[in-house]
């Protein structure tokens, strides 16, 4: 029998008509109830309600099925711009976001999902942000312009949004945002140097997030590094690890343990390298790349095929001068140590992990399709500022330079921007969106704009001396996407 030409029987016809009628009745019922009965439509019939932090309409709820919490606020003096932020749910009452409401910006965003540490997925976070944009438009209409911004994990999804969702946003600002596979391997490189030269027996992969095993590993690494700092040879090797790994010599969490060093002063610079390294050794507080390792099925870190001599050449020029001086003073061979590192057994990534991370939204390829401003603090020990250099080079190679700008703030810590520095970035991008031309992003101009928008804030944009070439740029190929392990 020719099924293609077969007519439906009576039972199929009745079922089809029944479903059609039910669907129509449901639609009529929803219309009759009115918009205010829908799960995501608030009662906007009254006046804007006064709030301790301003006069605005607020909508706070959860996304159906996934349950992600979100918050939206639209001020009475809305200027037509919407700012979307991964972390807006919890930061809504911050000084920065209250000031943005006063300036007429609508704001929206989510709360990070429960269990994120053990099941991190930036693609899911992007899906949540798109859902919130849909909810915003259903309630308040389409914004004149939408800016996606965020810091840390919020910066990570912002970079991806600029590349894969130019249909939903008009501009993007990523602050201290990582490309996760890049970050994981940059993290690996410095520890690989330390393992090869100082502690071959200690683990640097698959370290537990907590528990007695993690505590023992953390204690062992602390003892190794502290002992190394007491000898000329050890100090030279600590400096080499920071330089090859392209970590910041002055950067970490909490309060800065030492002043920002003079990069031409060998003693100052090496001391700062040591203090930064100690603060970033394995512990419960340094989970940044552990969550990346846990995200995918399999291990994403690898250094197969890496030439660590070449990686050293790409390092910060002033760091390298310090390394070479320290090796000379210690009377040991720099060439010999790099050979030893190159000869040390390597780590291979699992094809399943590369495949998982190669999917859109989980990594970045250097193709921003809307105006995109990227900011970093110079003292960020978690999301290495050197990654920005890798992204910039991809942007140039791919022909997107006119859409991209970067800027740096001279400050210790991760996401430690002042309100004025945030506002200057937002205003700069707004001008670029409105005019089609970038205003100046030179440090002096950004500092002037920052002080104008928030006179009480410090503003420390500056010209940052970065690495010659970033070592860990990875753009997945077809073999990664399909999971070819060869």
């Amino acid at each position: 029998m020719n099924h293609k030409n077969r007519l439906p029987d009576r039972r199929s016809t009745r079922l089809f008509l029944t479903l059609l009628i039910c669907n129509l009745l449901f639609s009529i019922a929803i219309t009759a109830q009115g918009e205010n009965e829908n799960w995501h439509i608030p009662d906007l019939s009254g006046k804007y309600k006064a709030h301790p932090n301003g006069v605005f309409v607020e909508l706070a709820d959860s996304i159906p099925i996934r349950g992600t919490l979100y918050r939206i606020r639209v001020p009475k003096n809305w200027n037509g711009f919407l700012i979307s932020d991964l972390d807006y749910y919890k930061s809504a009452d911050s000084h920065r976001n209250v000031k943005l409401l006063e300036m007429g910006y609508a704001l929206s965003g989510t709360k990070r999902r429960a269990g994120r540490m053990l099941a991190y997925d930036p693609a899911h976070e992007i899906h949540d942000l798109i859902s919130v944009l849909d909810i915003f438009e259903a309630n308040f209409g389409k914004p004149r312009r939408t800016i996606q911004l965020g810091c840390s994990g919020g910066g990570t999804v912002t970079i991806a949004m600029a590349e894969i969702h130019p249909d939903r946003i008009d501009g993007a600002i990523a602050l201290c945002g990582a490309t996760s596979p890049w970050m994981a391997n940059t993290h690996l490189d410095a520890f690989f140097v330390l393992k090869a030269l100082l502690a071959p027996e200690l683990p640097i992969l698959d370290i537990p997030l907590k528990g007695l095993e993690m505590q023992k590993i953390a204690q062992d690494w602390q003892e190794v590094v502290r002992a190394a700092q007491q000898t000329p040879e050890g100090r030279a090797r600590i400096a080499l690890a920071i330089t090859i790994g392209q970590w910041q010599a002055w950067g970490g969490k909490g309060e800065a343990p030492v002043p920002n060093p003079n990069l031409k002063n060998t003693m100052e610079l090496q001391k700062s390298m040591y203090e930064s390294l100690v603060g970033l050794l394995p512990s419960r507080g340094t989970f940044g790349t552990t969550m990346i390792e846990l995200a995918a099925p399999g291990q994403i870190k690898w250094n197969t095929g890496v030439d660590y001599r070449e990686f050293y050449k790409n390092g910060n020029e002033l760091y390298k001068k310090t390394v070479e001086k320290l090796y000379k003073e210690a009377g040991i061979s720099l060439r010999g140590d790099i050979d030893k590192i190159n000869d040390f057994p390597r780590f291979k990534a699992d094809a399943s992990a590369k495949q998982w991370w190669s999917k859109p939204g989980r990594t970045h390829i250097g193709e921003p399709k809307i105006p995109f401003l990227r900011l970093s603090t110079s003292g960020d020990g978690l999301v290495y500022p050197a990654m920005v250099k890798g992204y910039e080079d991809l942007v140039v190679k791919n022909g997107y330079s006119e859409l991209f700008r970067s800027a740096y703030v001279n400050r210790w810590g991760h996401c430690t921007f002042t309100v004025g520095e945030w506002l200057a970035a937002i205003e700069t991008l707004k001008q670029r969106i409105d005019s089609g031309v970038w205003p100046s992003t030179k440090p002096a101009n950004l500092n002037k704009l920052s002080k104008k928008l928030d006179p009480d804030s410090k503003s420390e944009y500056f010209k940052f001396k970065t690495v010659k070439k970033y070592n860990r740029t990875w753009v997945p190929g077809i073999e990664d996407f399909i999971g070819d392990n060869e």
Side-chain angles (χ1 to χ4, degrees):
M1 182 180 291
N2 187 345
H3 292 281
K4 188 177 291 186
N5 296 323
R6 182 181 177 184
L7 294 173
D9 58 25
R10 292 181 179 180
R11 184 184 303 174
S12 298
T13 302
R14 284 198 301 269
L15 177 61
F16 173 76
L17 290 173
T18 301
L19 289 172
L20 180 61
I21 292 168
C22 287
N23 204 21
L24 289 170
L25 289 173
F26 178 76
S27 299
I28 293 168
I30 290 294
T31 304
Q33 287 174 351
E35 288 186 334
N36 292 339
E37 296 296 322
N38 203 325
W39 66 268
H40 67 264
I41 303 292
D43 180 6
L44 303 180
S45 59
K47 296 180 179 179
Y48 282 80
K49 297 175 176 61
H51 184 280
N53 292 323
V55 179
F56 54 81
V57 169
E58 176 174 276
L59 172 55
D61 207 332
S62 63
I63 299 171
I65 303 175
R66 296 194 300 281
T68 306
L69 296 174
Y70 71 88
R71 189 185 307 277
I72 294 170
R73 286 180 178 175
V74 181
K76 190 174 183 178
N77 61 331
W78 185 27
N79 61 12
F81 271 73
L82 169 64
I83 295 178
S84 167
D85 180 356
L86 177 72
D87 296 314
Y88 182 64
Y89 186 89
K90 292 182 70 173
S91 67
D93 290 334
S94 67
H95 176 50
R96 180 194 80 219
N97 284 330
V98 170
K99 192 170 182 67
L100 285 167
L101 277 173
E102 293 172 350
M103 295 169 68
Y105 290 94
L107 297 108
S108 70
T110 60
K111 181 180 180 181
R112 299 194 185 192
R113 295 182 179 192
R116 182 176 183 266
M117 186 63 63
L118 299 175
Y120 176 53
D121 189 349
H124 281 181
E125 294 177 338
I126 291 169
H127 200 282
D128 286 341
L129 289 169
I130 294 295
S131 295
V132 176
L133 294 180
D134 289 341
I135 293 167
F136 185 98
E137 291 188 16
N139 283 274
F140 305 102
K142 186 174 177 61
R144 182 166 67 87
R145 302 289 189 186
T146 299
I147 294 174
Q148 180 65 45
L149 62 70
C151 209
S152 192
T156 296
V157 297
T158 295
I159 300 169
M161 288 278 282
E163 293 188 347
I164 66 177
H165 284 296
D167 57 319
R168 299 309 303 267
I169 61 175
D170 301 283
I173 305 172
L175 303 94
C176 296
T179 301
S180 297
W182 303 12
M183 175 175 162
N185 281 326
T186 295
H187 186 81
L188 170 67
D189 287 332
F191 279 119
F192 187 77
V193 172
L194 295 172
K195 183 176 175 68
L197 299 180
L198 298 178
E201 74 285 0
L202 292 184
I204 57 176
L205 294 185
D206 301 315
I207 298 172
L209 279 169
K210 57 184 178 179
L212 293 177
E213 182 185 358
M214 184 278 296
Q215 293 175 24
K216 179 66 167 58
I217 292 169
Q219 182 180 346
D220 289 346
W221 268 115
Q222 291 281 341
E223 290 176 358
V224 164
V225 171
R226 283 174 178 154
Q229 184 65 9
Q230 303 308 309
T231 69
E233 298 87 351
R235 289 191 290 272
R237 285 163 177 156
I238 287 171
L240 179 62
I242 294 288
T243 303
I244 283 180
Q246 298 187 325
W247 292 20
Q248 281 304 97
W250 185 71
K253 54 188 176 60
E255 296 293 325
V258 292
N260 198 342
N262 177 353
L263 299 189
K264 295 182 179 180
N265 184 311
T266 301
M267 295 288 288
E268 277 189 32
L269 181 56
Q270 197 284 328
K271 172 67 172 173
S272 186
M273 288 175 167
Y274 164 72
E275 293 290 352
S276 294
L277 177 59
V278 166
L280 296 168
L281 289 173
S283 73
R284 290 192 68 176
T286 56
F287 52 78
T289 62
T290 305
M291 61 186 286
I292 295 174
E293 288 183 83
L294 294 171
Q299 176 58 253
I300 187 57
K301 293 181 179 179
W302 78 88
N303 62 354
T304 49
V306 166
D307 181 356
Y308 280 103
R309 187 173 304 283
E310 190 67 26
F311 274 23
Y312 174 71
K313 289 179 182 177
N314 293 337
N316 184 298
E317 294 296 333
L318 293 176
Y319 290 16
K320 289 193 292 183
K321 286 183 179 179
T322 285
V323 169
E324 288 154 17
K325 184 176 180 180
L326 289 168
Y327 265 84
K328 184 176 181 180
E329 290 175 353
I332 56 176
S333 169
L334 174 58
R335 178 181 290 273
D337 268 2
I338 294 178
D339 286 343
K340 187 175 180 179
I341 297 163
N342 267 337
D343 291 340
F344 201 74
R346 303 303 180 91
F347 298 99
K348 184 177 181 179
D350 293 318
S352 57
K354 282 189 169 183
Q355 182 184 40
W356 193 89
W357 280 108
S358 71
K359 301 300 187 290
R362 292 175 178 159
T363 192
H364 309 130
I365 60 174
E367 296 184 3
K369 299 176 181 68
I370 40 86
F372 175 31
L373 178 60
R374 187 164 178 176
L375 271 60
S376 296
T377 46
S378 63
D380 190 343
L382 175 63
V383 177
Y384 314 98
M387 281 191 284
V388 179
K389 172 62 174 170
Y391 193 81
E392 285 175 342
D393 289 344
L394 276 182
V395 166
V396 171
K397 178 183 176 182
N398 295 333
Y400 290 87
S401 299
E402 287 304 309
L403 290 171
F404 182 75
R405 294 292 184 271
S406 60
Y408 297 87
V409 167
N410 190 22
R411 189 171 298 120
W412 173 277
H414 177 61
C415 289
T416 51
F417 301 96
T418 67
V419 171
E421 289 159 353
W422 277 88
L423 296 180
I426 292 168
E427 179 59 27
T428 296
L429 183 67
K430 182 176 180 292
Q431 290 180 29
R432 169 60 179 83
I433 293 171
D434 283 340
S435 70
V437 178
W438 282 104
S440 174
T441 55
K442 291 181 179 178
N445 296 88
L446 289 172
N447 286 328
K448 183 178 179 181
L449 182 58
S450 172
K451 297 303 289 184
K452 176 183 176 182
L453 295 170
D454 192 42
D456 296 331
S457 287
K458 284 186 177 180
S459 189
E460 298 179 300
Y461 285 101
F462 80 125
K463 187 175 182 180
F464 179 63
K465 176 66 175 176
T466 190
V467 296
K468 180 179 179 181
K469 178 184 177 182
Y470 178 61
N471 287 329
R472 283 303 196 156
T473 303
W474 173 65
V475 176
I478 185 62
E479 69 282 358
D480 300 309
F481 194 82
I482 64 175
D484 186 353
N485 206 19
E486 297 302 322

